[in-house]
Amino acid sequence: MAIGAAASNSQLHEGVAAYRLLTGEAPADANITTDANLDRHVLASILAAATMDGGSLLEKVGLSGVELAALLEQYFPSTTINGGEQAWRSNGEDHEEIAMLRDLLLKERSTQGDIGRWLAAMIARRAMEPDHLWEALGLRNRGELALVLSRHFGPLAARNVNNMRWKRFFYRMLCENEGVVMCTTPVCDQCSEFNVCFGEESGESRMAERRCDLLLQEAARPVVDGDPSSEQPKWSEIASSSDKATPDL
């Protein structure tokens, strides 16, 4: 139990610390009422979520070292990436599904500049993760995903008129582009897998979920004098100290 609590604690600390390092605030406090704020929030959330996953940050976000350095310089100039991450290079052979989804997003861009290109690559890579897409991107809810897709990939987002789950929608678009019939029924509400495409996607964000896991594990674990695990920092301590941490970006 102590090991599980320590793992959740570590992931939570890294995710919150990464977001605070980039933006100077906790993810829960982010104000996305302007396009600029939305863009910074989404980019920071993706980087924070990838940090929580462990492994190569560049591989987890689908960017090269040069691209990530440029992103940080433009949106988070006070942050630099770790030298070891800069040395990581793709072998040039993208996963086929990642490449197809990235190209689909690039063709449907509705904004100018580098951010649409970066987001196309990042969204395509994070779509390979098992979570709902908004969770894999580290966002606070599904509505934030709809906002960023409508802003940067407007023509594509506008085609999701029935509010299909975004991963399923993307794959349907890819299949249609290839002339492949994805479904055996002509009307969605007659399909036995209706909930797979249109089911509820509400829930807690990944960092909020880690917080709940940690609190539940702490509540279930008896406190024993001298037990080092009883000294694990609580959520308030993690949140207040996270701006002191410097995860490798």
Side-chain angles (χ1 to χ4, degrees), residues 4-242:
S8 292
N9 185 351
S10 177
Q11 288 178 316
L12 174 64
H13 186 266
E14 290 176 4
V16 173
Y19 189 97
R20 290 182 66 108
L21 177 66
L22 292 165
T23 67
E25 63 183 356
D29 298 330
N31 183 325
I32 59 172
T33 54
T34 68
D35 288 341
N37 286 349
L38 173 64
D39 290 346
R40 291 185 81 251
H41 169 65
V42 170
L43 292 171
S45 296
I46 297 172
L47 293 171
T51 299
M52 292 172 68
D53 288 346
S56 168
L57 178 65
L58 297 175
E59 190 280 324
K60 293 293 184 180
V61 298
L63 298 177
S64 68
V66 172
E67 289 171 323
L68 181 56
L71 184 157
L72 292 174
E73 182 179 1
Q74 184 170 338
Y75 286 91
F76 312 104
S78 62
T79 306
T80 58
I81 63 175
N82 177 270
E85 286 288 359
Q86 284 181 306
W88 184 88
R89 291 290 183 273
S90 168
N91 60 14
E93 297 179 0
D94 287 335
H95 188 289
E96 183 179 4
E97 291 184 21
I98 296 176
M100 291 174 64
L101 179 51
R102 182 192 62 219
D103 291 346
L104 172 67
L105 290 165
L106 288 173
K107 290 177 182 177
E108 301 284 348
R109 288 178 59 182
S110 51
T111 54
Q112 301 297 317
D114 291 326
I115 186 170
R117 179 169 52 82
W118 294 331
L119 282 173
M122 297 169 89
I123 292 170
R125 170 57 186 88
R126 299 304 295 172
M128 300 300 108
E129 298 299 317
D131 304 315
H132 294 311
L133 183 55
W134 67 269
E135 294 175 311
L137 296 172
L139 302 178
R140 294 176 295 188
N141 52 63
R142 189 176 189 266
E144 290 186 342
L145 175 56
L147 284 176
V148 72
L149 292 176
S150 296
R151 167 163 160 70
H152 291 286
F153 310 100
L156 182 62
R159 292 160 69 183
N160 189 7
V161 293
N162 294 317
N163 201 31
M164 179 180 284
R165 290 186 181 186
W166 287 108
K167 280 188 187 181
R168 299 290 292 184
F169 173 74
F170 290 154
Y171 285 116
R172 171 167 286 191
M173 294 299 100
L174 289 172
C175 288
E176 289 183 0
N177 288 345
E178 296 295 322
V180 176
V181 178
M182 183 178 179
C183 301
T184 58
T185 56
V187 182
C188 283
D189 59 12
Q190 296 177 4
C191 179
S192 60
E193 295 188 345
F194 180 86
N195 286 334
V196 174
C197 294
F198 298 94
E200 183 65 37
E201 284 191 84
S202 62
E204 293 180 310
S205 67
R206 295 185 70 191
M207 280 183 271
E209 182 181 351
R210 294 291 188 276
R211 175 196 177 192
C212 289
D213 288 345
L214 179 59
L215 293 177
L216 288 172
Q217 289 165 351
E218 288 178 341
R221 175 171 50 80
V223 177
V224 179
D225 292 340
D227 179 2
S229 65
S230 66
E231 300 178 3
Q232 291 291 340
K234 303 298 187 292
W235 166 257
S236 59
E237 295 169 348
I238 293 170
S240 63
S241 65
S242 60

